[in-house]
Amino acid sequence: MAFTAVPDVLKLPDAVKFMTMLGYPTYFTPFIGFAKILGSIAILIPGFPRIKEWAYAGLAFDLIGAVYSNISVGPIQAQMALMLVWIVPGIVSYIYFHKKLQAIAQ
């Protein structure tokens, strides 16, 4: 997520063009980029379990929203599978995050 956020934050032409194609306003591109960076940082730093919950939710909404937006504007493309591929490691990470919290609580 952090790596895909850099073009958004920098408002690179390809990132802006892609978001515009999906129907989002130009100002949304850096906003979603910063949100992805903050969410990635929240997941990577130790502690702050409540913030991590929000970060996991936000990043999941981003991925699901990206797939939905792509399907809404045109035919299903092979590149969308890449977005879905990142959902699996996110789910696995989330499960192990909760297992770690339970182990600490015991």
Side-chain angles (χ1 to χ4, degrees):
M1 293 302 275
F3 296 121
T4 63
V6 173
D8 295 341
V9 170
L10 298 175
K11 290 181 74 173
L12 296 181
D14 286 343
V16 173
K17 179 182 171 188
F18 181 70
M19 292 296 240
T20 304
M21 178 201 70
L22 294 175
Y24 295 108
T26 307
Y27 64 81
F28 186 71
T29 306
F31 170 78
I32 198 70
F34 280 114
K36 286 193 258 184
I37 289 172
L38 291 174
S40 299
I41 291 169
I43 288 173
L44 292 174
I45 60 172
F48 308 104
R50 187 169 307 246
I51 293 174
K52 283 186 190 298
E53 286 285 337
W54 281 92
Y56 276 113
L59 296 177
F61 290 142
D62 178 71
L63 287 170
I64 294 166
V67 172
Y68 179 79
S69 295
N70 275 287
I71 291 170
S72 295
V73 299
I76 296 174
Q77 300 170 358
Q79 299 96 316
M80 285 188 276
L82 280 171
M83 289 184 270
L84 292 173
V85 167
W86 291 109
I87 291 175
V88 173
I91 292 169
V92 171
S93 174
Y94 182 76
I95 289 168
Y96 279 101
F97 165 66
H98 273 281
K99 285 186 178 189
K100 180 181 170 186
L101 282 180
Q102 289 174 348
I104 291 170
Q106 293 176 355

